[in-house]
Amino acid sequence: MDDQADAEDTSGTLSFSLLLDKSLPSLVVIAAWNPGKDLLAMVTMDHQLIVHRLNWQRLWAISPGMFSNHPPLPFYLTVTSICWRPDGKALAVGHINGSIAIHDVENGDVLRKTGTHQVAVECLYWAEEGQNITDNEDEIFLYEDRTPRFFPPPPKPPSMPGTAPSFDMSSVLGSAMEDLGGGSLKGATQDVKHGLDVLCSGDKDGVICLSAFGVFPIGKLDVRELVVNEMASGTKGDEKSSEQLLNASAFQVSLSSDLRHMTVVCTGTSTVDGRTRSTSSGNYCLSVNTAILGDRRKELRQVALQASSIEELIDVLQTSLSVMEKQWSEAITAVYEKFNGFTQLLREHGSNVSPQDELLGLLTCGYASPALHQFLAASVGEGGLKRLAKSIDTASKELYSVLSEHMQPAAEIIAFRLGELRGLARWHARLACVGLEESLMDRALEHAGMLLVQLERLLRIVSETTGGFRLFFVWLLKALRQLNRETLSQAETLPNVDSMAVANFLQTDFEKDPIGLHLSNSVNVIVDVPKEIEELMDEVAAMGGFKDSKFLQRTLAQEIDLLTICCHEAFAMPLKVVSPQLGSPCMILLCNTAISPIARIPVSSTYFEIKQDDGVLAVEQDDELLVSQYICFRVNDNGSPDDPSVVGILRGFGPNHGSQDKRIFREAVSFQLDSSLRCNDIALYKQRQLVLLVTERDLETGDWTGQTWIMLLQLDDLPFHILETPESGANLDLLHLCSSKGSPSDISLRHGKVRALPQSDVVMPLAVSASRGLACVFTSQRRVFLYDLEEDEEAKDEDME
């Protein structure tokens, strides 16, 4: 109780103002503060994703079942991780099936969903390019996107009744889309203040994926396949041994603001040349060199923005094609169903003549057989003919609208953007290392040009086919009135009909359905092309035109499929080329399973930008901006939950500019809480500050059911020690090394700023907002407490007076 007395001064001032005390409908298992807004995202035990304002007003709530591919089924897509975009306008949500959904902050709508992983996404981290990153003069890469100069804003997918609207990529990419015409055009050159941001995700199988703007994959690595800590084997010659992690599972990932250093915290079993160590299973921290992302961030940004825009426009093409196919098939199916009845009627009258021949006979001779007369007068009638004509006319107008207002503008912008990327791809020195290949861009650009030709052809076919149907139905209506012996004045209300045009339509387009043919993506469909057109296309190819002179034999749907395949192949190259360059990892054993019986330990990781003169770096470096990473973790000493908690802090550094020196200097410290305290959760707060949730042991029962405290600890007061990688093949065991260097072994409540919580049944998570100075604590009794870490309660009351 002495610590409790020391926690409050003689004036009775309470540390940390209590801003909120609310009850919850369900336990909260995951929580994260929005970095730019007073919003808190939470995942509850009853499968709810909820966003609250600071005053605890609910902004929106979504059931995970709404995310599933089969909404009608009683299936909950469990949320396993969440992370806010750096600008706070979108929320990334990882699911147990490996998918990642990006939600709009305003209403929770799914802006984009990707199947990035195959198993549960255990951790997410969204890093943004730092504002203070500078380049050497010869490394400046400025690129002007000229698309907004020549094109209006890109078209959106047409709506289809009964389906949800497609996502808006401008919402997914955020402010960066202003540089690609997704927002207001502020000048001829791009606004370089919108840098690259990267969504890092790790899964249960140790696979780490990196996606630019959360949607475009630019890197992937498997922790289980990484070779780390290559060292001298100590046997003979210059033989080296390599260390790997088996059965690795990532549960924390982070990326520095200069995009050059990534840290992965995972569980696994260490092996050296395939031999498992006796004490190798535990929690490890891996540092991965991602300098390629920082060195080529501007190139990756342009490729990701352009490629993402093209992929969105390809979705517009595919959606438009589906809409047209649905609209046209409904109209033409109604016509064919009626005339299939005419075929059956002819068979009932003992005639083997086709419906086309019967209609041609009526057109040329003016004679209608009894079957034709019955069909026109009784089966269809004047009202039925008008309805069929109207359905065809309406469908043709909708097709023309989709083609001219959605597909053509999308195809034109796709071709222009592919041309821009092809121009960039010719700068091999800068773009080849990020996977932009000129040959693949040439192929995709050629298919984009072919698509424009296909669209022009389909516009002409729609016009000709619907014109033929219009003449056909006018003639049928006129013939029906004549068969019914209507007065001449009534017959004259219909326009004159070109008999030759009707005959050509019956002989060519009535059965073939050229519109439906071009909307089909069946690989077996081949379009008939006149011989003179084929010869002309061969001449064009010989003069430097399209290399594939037979492309007119493909349908529009087939051409879109080929363009999609080519673009996917070209845009998959950055992932294939960048991923092998993510390497040179080194590894530290945070704690082994003998110390921590729980598979995963509470971990908090963050990056800070500091100056050397801040006095936190014990190794000599040039006077430049440094990126400092802190990793804090908790374990139980001796492996028993009844033992006091041990907390370790790892501080790593890497220069902001590229360096040939692959060493990463580390400092660390560990401490043990007083034997009467147990650490429930930890969170790094502002630079050199740590927030802990600690519970006292009940003196009567000996259980951890005593008073619970929120504690703010200054890291400056802890003596960090430089860690040297051992020459032998032994693991670098952080806790043992810290203990051998004389780290403090006892921290009590008097060492930090503390406040007692109203309830002792505290459960994780602890959600801390460094930008707002807030901490949210959740309890097993379904209550939440919100504290202001920057202001004491009495001081706040005095200010209000």
Side-chain angles (χ1 to χ4, degrees):
M1 299 300 294
D2 293 337
D3 288 339
Q4 182 172 352
D6 293 337
E8 300 183 10
D9 60 26
T10 57
S11 63
T13 300
L14 292 175
S15 300
F16 317 133
S17 296
L18 178 61
L19 302 179
L20 192 73
D21 179 359
K22 291 283 187 181
S23 61
L24 300 171
S26 178
L27 289 177
V28 173
V29 294
I30 306 174
W33 283 99
N34 188 303
K37 305 175 186 293
D38 291 329
L39 299 174
L40 178 65
M42 297 171 291
V43 179
T44 63
M45 188 70 75
D46 61 348
H47 304 286
Q48 290 283 318
L49 176 63
I50 307 173
V51 173
H52 274 275
R53 300 186 188 275
L54 183 59
N55 60 4
W56 217 247
Q57 178 186 1
R58 179 176 292 188
L59 184 61
W60 50 265
I62 296 178
S63 170
M66 297 174 63
F67 312 151
S68 67
N69 295 327
H70 307 284
L73 299 179
F75 170 70
Y76 290 101
L77 192 56
T78 305
V79 175
T80 53
S81 55
I82 60 176
C83 177
W84 288 98
R85 196 168 67 187
D87 63 2
K89 296 180 179 180
L91 177 67
V93 178
H95 301 116
I96 195 171
N97 66 346
S99 63
I100 298 176
I102 299 178
H103 295 260
D104 188 357
V105 66
E106 297 296 335
N107 49 31
D109 289 345
V110 178
L111 302 174
R112 186 71 181 266
K113 188 174 181 180
T114 58
T116 309
H117 297 267
Q118 302 299 318
V119 294
V121 180
E122 298 291 343
C123 52
L124 292 169
Y125 186 90
W126 213 324
E128 183 180 30
E129 176 184 334
Q131 297 295 324
N132 297 322
I133 300 178
T134 58
D135 294 284
N136 297 328
E137 185 176 355
D138 59 344
E139 293 180 350
I140 294 178
F141 178 85
L142 293 177
Y143 170 72
E144 173 194 353
D145 180 54
R146 301 174 296 173
T147 311
R149 288 188 179 187
F150 306 108
F151 298 96
K156 298 294 186 292
S159 59
M160 180 182 291
T163 61
S166 300
F167 68 91
D168 183 359
M169 184 63 74
S170 62
S171 300
V172 179
L173 300 181
S175 56
M177 276 302 293
E178 294 181 5
D179 300 336
L180 291 180
S184 59
L185 183 61
K186 299 181 179 180
T189 60
Q190 70 174 31
D191 187 358
V192 295
K193 69 179 181 180
H194 300 137
L196 174 67
D197 63 69
V198 180
L199 178 62
C200 310
S201 56
D203 66 27
K204 189 177 180 180
D205 287 345
V207 176
I208 310 298
C209 296
L210 308 176
S211 301
F213 306 107
V215 297
F216 185 75
I218 57 174
K220 184 176 182 179
L221 60 89
D222 190 340
V223 173
R224 302 182 182 188
E225 297 178 356
L226 287 178
V227 177
V228 298
N229 293 347
E230 190 174 36
M231 61 199 83
S233 63
T235 54
K236 55 183 178 180
D238 294 330
E239 295 181 3
K240 290 186 177 182
S241 61
S242 60
E243 188 174 6
Q244 287 182 289
L245 277 182
L246 300 179
N247 305 319
S249 179
F251 62 94
Q252 181 85 329
V253 61
S254 55
L255 181 65
S256 63
S257 59
D258 63 3
L259 310 181
R260 292 186 170 98
H261 307 282
M262 182 174 66
T263 301
V264 180
V265 182
C266 58
T267 60
T269 302
S270 173
T271 63
V272 176
D273 293 336
R275 298 187 302 274
T276 304
R277 302 175 187 270
S278 59
T279 59
S280 60
S281 297
N283 293 272
Y284 290 84
C285 176
L286 286 84
S287 179
V288 181
N289 179 10
T290 59
I292 181 64
L293 303 184
D295 296 340
R296 290 291 179 261
R297 64 187 182 279
K298 295 181 179 179
E299 293 87 337
L300 285 170
R301 176 183 181 275
Q302 288 302 329
V303 173
L305 287 175
Q306 293 277 20
S308 298
S309 177
I310 292 172
E311 288 177 340
E312 178 195 13
L313 293 171
I314 288 177
D315 287 338
V316 172
L317 293 176
Q318 293 173 337
T319 303
S320 300
L321 188 68
S322 299
V323 170
M324 290 196 303
E325 195 276 333
K326 183 175 185 296
Q327 292 171 337
W328 181 251
S329 64
E330 290 177 353
I332 199 67
T333 299
V335 173
Y336 287 156
E337 285 179 352
K338 283 294 183 182
F339 280 87
N340 287 338
F342 181 36
T343 303
Q344 182 64 28
L345 194 59
L346 287 172
R347 300 298 177 264
E348 293 176 358
H349 283 77
S351 175
N352 293 323
V353 179
S354 66
Q356 287 83 353
D357 291 338
E358 280 284 339
L359 293 171
L360 285 172
L362 175 62
L363 178 65
T364 56
C365 304
Y367 170 75
S369 66
L372 178 57
H373 194 175
Q374 180 182 347
F375 171 72
L376 293 177
S379 300
V380 181
E382 183 172 334
L385 288 175
K386 288 182 177 179
R387 286 191 295 271
L388 292 176
K390 184 177 180 180
S391 66
I392 292 292
D393 192 60
T394 301
S396 65
K397 290 179 180 178
E398 292 173 345
L399 260 61
Y400 193 88
S401 174
V402 172
L403 284 168
S404 59
E405 297 177 10
H406 297 272
M407 300 193 76
Q408 272 194 326
E412 291 170 356
I413 298 177
I414 287 174
F416 188 86
R417 291 201 181 283
L418 287 172
E420 297 282 271
L421 284 176
R422 180 187 177 278
L424 288 175
R426 302 188 69 177
W427 195 354
H428 299 282
R430 295 199 69 97
L431 276 303
C433 62
V434 297
L436 194 61
E437 292 194 5
E438 186 178 359
S439 59
L440 295 178
M441 298 311 304
D442 282 338
R443 183 184 173 196
L445 182 60
E446 178 167 288
H447 281 287
M450 295 175 183
L451 177 61
L452 288 171
V453 176
Q454 294 270 25
L455 289 170
E456 288 289 344
R457 179 172 69 171
L458 184 56
L459 277 171
R460 176 180 54 82
I461 291 174
V462 168
S463 177
E464 293 176 353
T465 303
T466 54
F469 269 109
R470 189 176 296 112
L471 285 176
F472 171 68
F473 283 116
V474 169
W475 166 72
L476 271 185
L477 189 57
K478 203 170 185 179
L480 177 60
R481 290 182 176 180
Q482 291 174 350
L483 291 173
N484 291 337
R485 303 180 183 276
E486 296 181 1
T487 62
L488 185 61
S489 60
Q490 291 176 317
E492 287 177 346
T493 59
L494 296 174
N496 294 327
V497 177
D498 185 350
S499 300
M500 186 62 67
V502 175
N504 290 335
F505 171 78
L506 287 172
Q507 293 172 347
T508 57
D509 295 342
F510 182 75
E511 278 191 337
K512 294 182 179 179
D513 183 19
I515 295 178
L517 177 71
H518 283 274
L519 299 180
S520 172
N521 59 1
S522 174
V523 295
N524 298 323
V525 175
I526 299 177
V527 180
D528 293 332
V529 180
K531 186 175 181 180
E532 57 273 14
I533 299 297
E534 289 184 354
E535 294 174 352
L536 179 61
M537 295 307 301
D538 290 336
E539 295 177 3
V540 171
M543 292 186 294
F546 297 129
K547 297 178 181 179
D548 184 3
S549 61
K550 306 297 183 183
F551 76 94
L552 288 178
Q553 295 181 357
R554 294 193 289 267
T555 67
L556 175 65
Q558 292 170 348
E559 198 64 61
I560 292 176
D561 288 344
L562 285 176
L563 174 63
T564 303
I565 293 172
C566 291
C567 288
H568 284 177
E569 182 180 357
F571 298 154
M573 291 306 298
L575 179 66
K576 296 179 181 179
V577 174
V578 173
S579 295
Q581 301 179 64
L582 306 175
S584 302
C586 52
M587 184 171 65
I588 290 180
L589 173 63
L590 299 181
C591 61
N592 55 48
T593 52
I595 295 178
S596 179
I598 303 175
R600 295 182 181 179
I601 56 176
V603 175
S604 180
S605 175
T606 189
Y607 285 87
F608 299 109
E609 292 182 349
I610 62 173
K611 282 286 188 179
Q612 180 187 354
D613 55 14
D614 286 344
V616 297
L617 183 60
V619 183
E620 293 186 3
Q621 292 281 347
D622 296 333
D623 186 15
E624 62 180 2
L625 183 67
L626 299 174
V627 177
S628 169
Q629 183 189 23
Y630 285 78
I631 298 177
C632 184
F633 59 97
R634 183 220 74 186
V635 294
N636 292 321
D637 197 10
N638 298 327
S640 172
D642 293 330
D643 291 323
S645 299
V646 175
V647 176
I649 304 172
L650 176 66
R651 185 164 66 189
F653 299 87
N656 199 29
H657 297 294
S659 174
Q660 297 298 323
D661 189 356
K662 295 184 179 180
R663 295 178 300 165
I664 297 180
F665 304 100
R666 292 187 178 87
E667 296 178 319
V669 66
S670 67
F671 60 86
Q672 177 177 295
L673 292 181
D674 185 87
S675 59
S676 64
L677 299 175
R678 184 183 67 175
C679 178
N680 296 316
D681 202 2
I682 53 178
L684 286 162
Y685 182 43
K686 295 185 177 179
Q687 189 170 340
R688 308 176 197 173
Q689 290 181 321
L690 179 66
V691 178
L692 300 95
L693 276 179
V694 296
T695 302
E696 288 183 304
R697 187 193 298 270
D698 190 293
L699 297 180
E700 296 181 358
T701 64
D703 298 330
W704 298 106
T705 57
Q707 181 64 59
T708 298
W709 301 80
I710 181 171
M711 180 179 183
L712 182 62
L713 187 65
Q714 298 291 333
L715 300 183
D716 283 343
D717 300 333
L718 303 177
F720 282 83
H721 302 282
I722 300 175
L723 300 181
E724 300 291 345
T725 303
E727 294 295 333
S728 66
N731 265 327
L732 180 57
D733 191 327
L734 184 63
L735 293 182
H736 290 168
L737 286 175
C738 289
S739 299
S740 65
K741 292 178 178 291
S743 293
S745 59
D746 191 7
I747 293 291
S748 63
L749 294 177
R750 67 170 61 93
H751 288 91
K753 188 177 180 181
V754 298
R755 173 163 178 169
L757 271 64
Q759 292 182 342
S760 61
D761 54 340
V762 176
V763 296
M764 295 186 289
L766 168 67
V768 175
S769 171
S771 61
R772 295 295 189 269
L774 302 173
C776 230
V777 182
F778 300 91
T779 76
S780 59
Q781 296 299 318
R782 296 189 307 221
R783 295 197 68 84
V784 58
F785 302 104
L786 178 62
Y787 291 95
D788 186 343
L789 299 179
E790 298 295 320
E791 193 171 8
D792 295 339
E793 194 160 294
E794 184 179 279
K796 180 177 180 181
D797 294 340
E798 292 174 355
D799 293 341
M800 292 178 63
E801 293 176 1

